[in-house]
């Protein structure tokens, strides 16, 4: 299965992000808690050099909590500042804001010592497509937030949302593309719904997903479908199709339909709380250091 994917607008978006990065002091990098290794872009280390960074493990409501806990400890040991949760919930937003307020206070103290008039800490949300950037921006901004207009010296089009007297958030997120360093990275992104559906073959993807799920969470498939995977993915999909009434003309099993059903269930958390990567097998970050 070829999952290489290189959108044409990538270079343009990256350039825009590099420009915007110059305007901020700190980054909030979002990754998918189910695949913290695959849902990043190693270039961010260089792009965000000298910036403070909060690492958010988002979609924690879909991930295996034990795994997420291991990842958090792993990232703490690497001097990251991880926070996990659900970008749609205020709780995660509040935890991020509280950390940002601490930074803002530290900065205020430093600026005061240097006799510099304090300016707000400016932050930007970054991450790969579909990881929850817009959702988090909405949660952070809340209803009560006010946008500050364009100011002289600020790149046209960039708007700042005031989160507090000392923190401003850029209203546009920085979009990074994942780097497919291996087929596994592409597979994990696709299984978590981070690649466009139309470029994927649902049946082939589902076959890989079923195999992987069986290895990592052997009870998930029989619990959900009352079907036992016997090492033959096509047979599994056929049984699933027949059981769920997914039929083609002539009452033939719709294997693509069954594949899609499986993927929807997986991505929607209906097969349980599932993480595809753990720090013990994906913990190495050879491409990145902070
Ligand atoms: P962006 O492309 O990074 O801006 O991603 P979006 O904010 O548009 O989110 C992509 C999808 O993920 C949307 O359907 C969101 O509702 C959903 N989403 C975002 N955060 C979470 C989360 O923490 N948990 C779950 N279950 N869904 C989320």
């Amino acid at each position: 299965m070829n999952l290489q994917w290189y959108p044409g607008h990538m270079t343009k978006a990256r350039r825009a992000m590099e420009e915007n990065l110059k305007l901020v002091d700190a980054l909030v990098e979002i990754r998918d808690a189910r695949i913290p290794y695959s849902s990043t872009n190693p270039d961010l280390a260089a792009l965000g050099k000298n910036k403070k960074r909060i690492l958010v493990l988002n979609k924690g409501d879909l991930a295996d909590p034990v795994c997420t806990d291991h990842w958090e400890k792993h990232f703490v040991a690497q001097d990251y500042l991880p926070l996990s949760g659900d970008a749609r919930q205020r709780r995660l937003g509040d935890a991020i804001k509280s950390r940002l307020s601490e930074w803002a206070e530290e900065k205020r103290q430093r600026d005061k010592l240097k006799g510099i008039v304090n300016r707000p800490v400016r932050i930007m949300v970054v991450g790969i497509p579909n990881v929850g950037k817009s959702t988090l921006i909405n949660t952070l901004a809340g209803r009560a937030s006010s946008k500050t207009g364009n100011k002289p010296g600020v790149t046209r089009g960039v708007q700042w949302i005031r989160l507090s007297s000392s923190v401003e958030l850029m209203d546009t997120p920085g979009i990074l593309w994942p780097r497919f360093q291996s087929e596994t990275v592409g597979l994990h992104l696709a299984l978590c719904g981070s690649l466009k559906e139309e470029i994927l073959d649902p049946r082939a993807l589902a076959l890989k997903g079923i195999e992987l799920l069986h290895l990592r969470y052997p009870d998930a498939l029989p619990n959900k479908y009352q079907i036992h995977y016997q090492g033959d993915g096509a047979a599994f999909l056929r049984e699933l199709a027949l059981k769920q009434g997914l039929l083609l003309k002539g009452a033939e099993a719709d294997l693509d339909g069954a594949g899609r059903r499986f993927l929807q269930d997986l991505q929607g958390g209906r097969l349980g709380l599932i993480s595809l990567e753990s720090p013990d097998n994906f913990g190495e970050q050879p491409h990145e250091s902070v």
Side-chain angles (χ1 to χ4, degrees):
M1 190 167 28
N2 183 10
L3 293 171
Q4 288 295 334
W5 177 60
Y6 197 90
H9 51 294
M10 175 173 158
T11 318
K12 203 174 148 210
R14 186 187 150 136
R15 216 170 289 136
M17 193 184 98
E18 280 179 65
E19 282 304 306
N20 286 344
L21 267 174
K22 294 180 188 152
L23 306 173
V24 302
D25 309 291
L27 300 176
V28 176
E29 183 198 356
I30 311 187
R31 298 195 200 180
D32 187 320
R34 297 166 295 176
I35 47 167
Y37 176 79
S38 296
S39 58
T40 187
N41 179 311
D43 296 343
L44 192 60
L47 286 172
K49 223 162 75 187
N50 306 324
K51 311 256 184 226
K52 279 193 171 265
R53 186 163 11 151
I54 292 178
L55 177 59
V56 175
L57 299 176
N58 192 37
K59 307 202 183 185
D61 57 304
L62 298 171
D64 177 342
V66 174
C67 222
T68 303
D69 191 49
H70 288 166
W71 275 112
E72 283 196 31
K73 292 194 169 84
H74 169 83
F75 285 125
V76 166
Q78 292 195 340
D79 286 337
Y80 273 92
L81 294 167
L83 285 171
S84 65
D86 177 340
R88 298 165 304 177
Q89 305 283 329
R90 254 189 65 185
R91 203 146 70 98
L92 180 61
D94 288 347
I96 294 170
K97 281 187 199 171
S98 144
R99 189 160 293 164
L100 292 170
S101 300
E102 285 170 26
W103 285 351
E105 180 53 26
E106 284 167 23
K107 181 170 172 292
R108 199 182 67 80
Q109 299 286 356
R110 275 197 315 270
D111 285 354
K112 205 169 138 190
L113 284 177
K114 288 190 252 167
I116 300 173
V117 178
N118 181 248
R119 281 181 305 128
V121 169
R122 286 187 154 171
I123 64 158
M124 180 180 180
V125 170
V126 297
I128 65 167
N130 214 29
V131 79
K133 296 178 296 300
S134 312
T135 308
L136 185 66
I137 288 176
N138 283 339
T139 301
L140 286 171
R143 234 178 297 143
S145 69
S146 59
K147 279 194 183 181
T148 62
N150 281 341
K151 291 176 187 159
V154 173
T155 304
R156 266 172 78 96
V158 170
Q159 296 260 320
W160 298 94
I161 302 165
R162 191 171 281 270
L163 299 186
S164 71
S165 58
S166 54
V167 182
E168 286 183 2
L169 166 72
M170 190 180 285
D171 78 337
T172 28
I175 305 171
L176 291 160
W177 270 266
R179 192 184 280 174
F180 299 91
Q181 287 163 317
S182 65
E183 193 179 331
T184 307
V185 169
L187 175 66
H188 288 184
L189 288 163
L191 288 172
C192 289
S194 280
L195 299 184
K196 286 208 172 78
E197 301 273 331
E198 55 265 33
I199 66 163
L200 302 166
D201 169 357
R203 192 195 306 184
L205 183 60
L207 290 175
K208 297 250 184 197
I210 287 165
E211 199 183 314
L212 186 61
L213 201 60
H214 174 70
L215 280 176
R216 283 187 67 83
Y217 298 92
D219 295 335
L221 292 168
N223 281 351
K224 169 73 182 156
Y225 301 124
Q226 286 78 50
I227 304 173
H228 286 271
Y229 174 72
Q230 314 273 13
D232 180 347
F236 185 94
L237 281 184
R238 189 166 304 114
E239 204 174 333
L240 178 61
L242 295 175
K243 235 179 167 159
Q244 305 223 346
L246 300 164
L247 304 174
L248 298 169
K249 267 192 215 133
E252 201 188 316
D254 178 1
L255 300 190
D256 285 348
R260 270 193 293 274
R261 177 69 54 86
F262 162 76
L263 293 172
Q264 283 160 6
D265 287 340
L266 177 68
Q267 290 163 11
R270 290 184 289 279
L271 283 157
L273 301 178
I274 280 160
S275 294
L276 299 181
E277 297 172 356
S278 321
D280 17 323
N281 42 5
F282 286 94
E284 260 181 65
Q285 302 265 322
H287 45 266
E288 193 171 18
S289 61
V290 175

